[in-house]
Short mmCIF file of all heavy atoms in Angstrom, two decimals:
data_model
loop_
_atom_site.label_atom_id
_atom_site.label_comp_id
_atom_site.label_asym_id
_atom_site.label_seq_id
_atom_site.Cartn_x
_atom_site.Cartn_y
_atom_site.Cartn_z
N LEU A 114 105.23 -14.61 -11.87
CA LEU A 114 106.49 -14.90 -11.17
C LEU A 114 107.20 -16.11 -11.75
O LEU A 114 108.43 -16.16 -11.76
CB LEU A 114 106.21 -15.09 -9.67
CG LEU A 114 106.36 -13.83 -8.81
CD1 LEU A 114 107.83 -13.41 -8.73
CD2 LEU A 114 105.54 -12.66 -9.32
N PHE A 117 108.87 -14.45 -14.81
CA PHE A 117 109.84 -13.36 -14.63
C PHE A 117 110.61 -13.43 -13.31
O PHE A 117 111.51 -12.64 -13.08
CB PHE A 117 109.12 -12.01 -14.75
CG PHE A 117 108.52 -11.80 -16.11
CD1 PHE A 117 107.17 -11.97 -16.34
CD2 PHE A 117 109.34 -11.46 -17.19
CE1 PHE A 117 106.61 -11.79 -17.61
CE2 PHE A 117 108.81 -11.27 -18.47
CZ PHE A 117 107.44 -11.45 -18.68
N GLY A 118 110.20 -14.35 -12.40
CA GLY A 118 110.94 -14.55 -11.15
C GLY A 118 111.82 -15.79 -11.33
O GLY A 118 112.48 -15.94 -12.33
N GLY A 119 111.77 -16.66 -10.31
CA GLY A 119 112.53 -17.90 -10.43
C GLY A 119 113.90 -17.81 -9.77
O GLY A 119 114.32 -16.74 -9.31
N PRO A 120 114.63 -18.93 -9.75
CA PRO A 120 115.92 -19.00 -9.06
C PRO A 120 116.91 -17.95 -9.57
O PRO A 120 116.97 -17.69 -10.77
CB PRO A 120 116.43 -20.41 -9.38
CG PRO A 120 115.19 -21.19 -9.71
CD PRO A 120 114.24 -20.21 -10.34
N GLY A 121 117.63 -17.34 -8.61
CA GLY A 121 118.64 -16.35 -8.98
C GLY A 121 118.06 -14.98 -9.24
O GLY A 121 118.79 -14.04 -9.54
N ARG A 122 116.76 -14.83 -9.12
CA ARG A 122 116.12 -13.54 -9.38
C ARG A 122 115.50 -12.99 -8.10
O ARG A 122 115.38 -13.69 -7.11
CB ARG A 122 115.05 -13.70 -10.46
CG ARG A 122 115.70 -14.05 -11.80
CD ARG A 122 114.70 -14.00 -12.90
NE ARG A 122 115.36 -13.89 -14.17
CZ ARG A 122 114.90 -13.16 -15.18
NH1 ARG A 122 113.75 -12.50 -15.08
NH2 ARG A 122 115.55 -13.10 -16.31
N THR A 123 115.07 -11.73 -8.16
CA THR A 123 114.52 -11.10 -6.96
C THR A 123 113.16 -10.46 -7.26
O THR A 123 112.89 -10.00 -8.37
CB THR A 123 115.45 -9.98 -6.44
OG1 THR A 123 115.69 -9.06 -7.50
CG2 THR A 123 116.76 -10.54 -5.91
N ALA A 124 112.32 -10.44 -6.22
CA ALA A 124 111.04 -9.73 -6.28
C ALA A 124 110.96 -8.83 -5.05
O ALA A 124 111.32 -9.25 -3.95
CB ALA A 124 109.88 -10.72 -6.29
N LEU A 125 110.51 -7.60 -5.28
CA LEU A 125 110.50 -6.61 -4.19
C LEU A 125 109.08 -6.11 -3.96
O LEU A 125 108.33 -5.88 -4.91
CB LEU A 125 111.43 -5.46 -4.58
CG LEU A 125 111.60 -4.27 -3.66
CD1 LEU A 125 113.00 -3.68 -3.79
CD2 LEU A 125 110.55 -3.18 -3.89
N SER A 138 106.25 -15.43 -4.82
CA SER A 138 107.59 -15.16 -5.37
C SER A 138 108.56 -16.26 -4.97
O SER A 138 109.27 -16.83 -5.81
CB SER A 138 108.11 -13.81 -4.86
OG SER A 138 107.22 -12.78 -5.23
N ALA A 143 112.49 -17.34 -6.42
CA ALA A 143 113.00 -15.96 -6.39
C ALA A 143 113.26 -15.54 -4.93
O ALA A 143 112.62 -16.06 -4.01
CB ALA A 143 112.00 -15.02 -7.03
N ARG A 144 114.17 -14.60 -4.75
CA ARG A 144 114.43 -14.06 -3.41
C ARG A 144 113.53 -12.87 -3.18
O ARG A 144 113.39 -12.02 -4.07
CB ARG A 144 115.91 -13.65 -3.30
CG ARG A 144 116.33 -13.21 -1.91
CD ARG A 144 117.86 -13.17 -1.80
NE ARG A 144 118.46 -12.23 -2.76
CZ ARG A 144 118.57 -10.92 -2.55
NH1 ARG A 144 118.15 -10.37 -1.43
NH2 ARG A 144 119.12 -10.14 -3.48
N TRP A 145 112.91 -12.82 -2.01
CA TRP A 145 111.96 -11.74 -1.69
C TRP A 145 112.69 -10.61 -0.97
O TRP A 145 113.46 -10.84 -0.03
CB TRP A 145 110.84 -12.28 -0.80
CG TRP A 145 109.89 -11.23 -0.32
CD1 TRP A 145 109.79 -10.74 0.95
CD2 TRP A 145 108.91 -10.53 -1.10
NE1 TRP A 145 108.80 -9.78 1.01
CE2 TRP A 145 108.25 -9.63 -0.23
CE3 TRP A 145 108.54 -10.57 -2.44
CZ2 TRP A 145 107.22 -8.78 -0.66
CZ3 TRP A 145 107.51 -9.72 -2.88
CH2 TRP A 145 106.87 -8.85 -1.99
N ILE A 146 112.45 -9.38 -1.41
CA ILE A 146 113.03 -8.21 -0.75
C ILE A 146 111.87 -7.37 -0.23
O ILE A 146 111.04 -6.87 -1.01
CB ILE A 146 113.88 -7.37 -1.74
CG1 ILE A 146 115.02 -8.23 -2.29
CG2 ILE A 146 114.42 -6.11 -1.06
CD1 ILE A 146 115.72 -7.59 -3.49
N HIS A 168 118.05 -2.06 -5.15
CA HIS A 168 117.97 -3.53 -5.26
C HIS A 168 117.85 -4.02 -6.69
O HIS A 168 118.07 -5.20 -6.96
CB HIS A 168 116.77 -4.04 -4.45
CG HIS A 168 116.88 -3.74 -2.98
ND1 HIS A 168 117.75 -4.41 -2.15
CD2 HIS A 168 116.25 -2.82 -2.20
CE1 HIS A 168 117.64 -3.94 -0.92
NE2 HIS A 168 116.74 -2.97 -0.92
N GLN A 169 117.47 -3.15 -7.61
CA GLN A 169 117.28 -3.54 -9.01
C GLN A 169 116.56 -4.88 -9.17
O GLN A 169 117.08 -5.83 -9.78
CB GLN A 169 118.63 -3.55 -9.72
CG GLN A 169 119.34 -2.24 -9.53
CD GLN A 169 120.44 -1.99 -10.54
OE1 GLN A 169 120.74 -2.81 -11.39
NE2 GLN A 169 121.00 -0.82 -10.45
N PRO A 170 115.35 -4.96 -8.61
CA PRO A 170 114.64 -6.25 -8.63
C PRO A 170 114.17 -6.63 -10.02
O PRO A 170 113.94 -5.77 -10.87
CB PRO A 170 113.44 -6.00 -7.71
CG PRO A 170 113.23 -4.53 -7.76
CD PRO A 170 114.56 -3.90 -7.98
N ASP A 171 114.00 -7.93 -10.24
CA ASP A 171 113.44 -8.40 -11.50
C ASP A 171 111.94 -8.16 -11.57
O ASP A 171 111.38 -8.03 -12.65
CB ASP A 171 113.75 -9.90 -11.66
CG ASP A 171 115.24 -10.15 -11.72
OD1 ASP A 171 115.82 -9.83 -12.77
OD2 ASP A 171 115.83 -10.61 -10.72
N VAL A 172 111.30 -8.16 -10.39
CA VAL A 172 109.86 -7.92 -10.31
C VAL A 172 109.59 -6.98 -9.15
O VAL A 172 110.14 -7.16 -8.06
CB VAL A 172 109.10 -9.25 -10.08
CG1 VAL A 172 107.59 -9.00 -9.95
CG2 VAL A 172 109.37 -10.26 -11.18
N VAL A 173 108.75 -5.98 -9.37
CA VAL A 173 108.30 -5.10 -8.27
C VAL A 173 106.80 -5.29 -8.11
O VAL A 173 106.06 -5.27 -9.10
CB VAL A 173 108.57 -3.61 -8.58
CG1 VAL A 173 108.11 -2.73 -7.41
CG2 VAL A 173 110.03 -3.37 -8.86
#
Side-chain angles (χ1 to χ4, degrees):
L114 267 291
F117 297 102
R122 293 189 161 217
T123 55
L125 179 149
S138 301
R144 186 166 60 84
W145 175 252
I146 300 168
H168 298 286
Q169 307 199 357
D171 298 286
V172 178
V173 180

